[in-house]
Amino acid sequence: DMKVTQMPRYLIKRMGENVLLECGQDMSHETMYWYRQDPGLGLQLIYISYDVDSNSEGDIPKGYRVSRKKREHFSLILDSAKTNQTSVYFCASSVIGAGGDEQYFGPGTRLTVL
Amino acid sequence: GDSVTQTEGQVTVSESKSLIINCTYSATSIAYPNLFWYVRYPGEGLQLLLKVITAGQKGSSRGFEATYNKETTSFHLQKASVQESDSAVYYCALSGGNMGYKLTFGTGTSLLVDP
């Protein structure tokens, strides 16, 4: 069963706290992504990971970092969260090569930073 | 840069009526972008609805169809007869060229089908 999971689904944090969002996939996809979506905007790419320990910044990486130590697991870390990082975060994965831009998405994590 | 525009934020259609959701794109750095429609049902992640990689071609899935029109830079999503289960958020997206696998998304159109 091809699946991308995200934990937690909902999270409330105070400004300045650290945040860890976790993503897993069971398809052995090499490439994984973190996006955020804000009202009135499309999904914006935060980071892309091409494989274990091979990560690249996306369009809006400031204030975020990522970790990928296993192919099936990709974490998004907010060190000292800010209120403007309140958003819905989506993780996705895809294969390399033909069809590599067909991405499989998780259900999203709704993060509120107070 | 490259961009995707969906002009309707929300659309309400009665069941069994026809639907069109507009999508236009600007691909300044990509000669022949790949075009997608993704759909997000309540409580679920986005899932690919259809993809077209060749200008002039039509993609179809689950009764939806979209034609890649390079002249008008459009990729409108259509369905002849919607069902209540089609209620969801629909996202148009593009990829390709030196962007690699990066998807550029539109803002999404929320479809509500009245029973």
Side-chain angles (χ1 to χ4, degrees):
Chain A
D1 187 23
M2 298 186 295
K3 201 170 183 180
V4 177
T5 58
Q6 290 185 238
M7 291 293 289
R9 295 291 310 279
Y10 302 90
L11 186 62
I12 299 175
K13 287 286 194 177
R14 296 195 180 280
M15 190 169 58
E17 292 184 328
N18 297 331
V19 176
L20 173 64
L21 304 184
E22 312 226 49
C23 174
Q25 51 101 357
D26 61 4
M27 297 167 279
S28 296
H29 285 169
E30 300 93 340
T31 308
M32 296 186 73
Y33 314 75
W34 276 107
Y35 294 88
R36 64 177 281 177
Q37 185 180 27
D38 300 302
L41 296 178
L43 279 74
Q44 299 175 84
L45 181 64
I46 305 171
Y47 267 93
I48 181 171
S49 173
Y50 296 103
D51 212 329
V52 171
D53 286 330
S54 179
N55 307 317
S56 292
E57 295 180 345
D59 297 324
I60 52 164
K62 187 177 180 182
Y64 303 95
R65 61 184 175 94
V66 293
S67 175
R68 190 156 179 217
K69 298 301 182 185
K70 294 182 179 180
R71 178 171 281 188
E72 65 269 19
H73 192 251
F74 191 33
S75 300
L76 181 69
I77 302 134
L78 289 67
D79 295 315
S80 188
K82 300 172 181 53
T83 55
N84 62 8
Q85 292 178 307
T86 293
S87 188
V88 181
Y89 292 85
F90 290 98
C91 175
S93 70
S94 70
V95 299
I96 290 290
D101 50 6
E102 296 178 25
Q103 296 179 18
Y104 294 79
F105 284 82
T109 294
R110 184 175 295 275
L111 171 66
T112 301
V113 182
L114 302 174
Chain B
D2 305 310
S3 64
V4 176
T5 300
Q6 294 178 244
T7 53
E8 304 106 343
Q10 186 166 312
V11 172
T12 301
V13 180
S14 298
E15 197 165 29
S16 79
K17 298 298 185 185
S18 64
L19 168 74
I20 181 165
I21 297 177
N22 294 310
C23 171
T24 57
Y25 67 89
S26 172
T28 56
S29 66
I30 309 168
Y32 299 99
N34 297 338
L35 300 177
F36 303 79
W37 277 101
Y38 278 81
V39 58
R40 179 157 64 99
Y41 297 103
E44 300 181 13
L46 283 77
Q47 53 185 274
L48 180 65
L49 179 60
L50 56 88
K51 170 185 177 181
V52 181
I53 64 171
T54 304
Q57 297 294 309
K58 180 167 68 178
S60 60
S61 173
R62 308 181 212 175
F64 291 90
E65 58 183 36
T67 299
Y68 186 157
N69 190 321
K70 189 171 169 62
E71 286 68 39
T72 59
T73 62
S74 66
F75 191 56
H76 305 318
L77 184 68
Q78 301 183 72
K79 190 173 187 184
S81 176
V82 297
Q83 303 170 340
E84 193 175 357
S85 57
D86 293 326
S87 295
V89 183
Y90 293 81
Y91 297 89
C92 186
L94 65 79
S95 77
N98 59 9
M99 295 197 308
Y101 303 131
K102 174 189 167 185
L103 285 171
T104 298
F105 285 90
T107 52
T109 299
S110 179
L111 170 64
L112 178 62
V113 178
D114 280 337

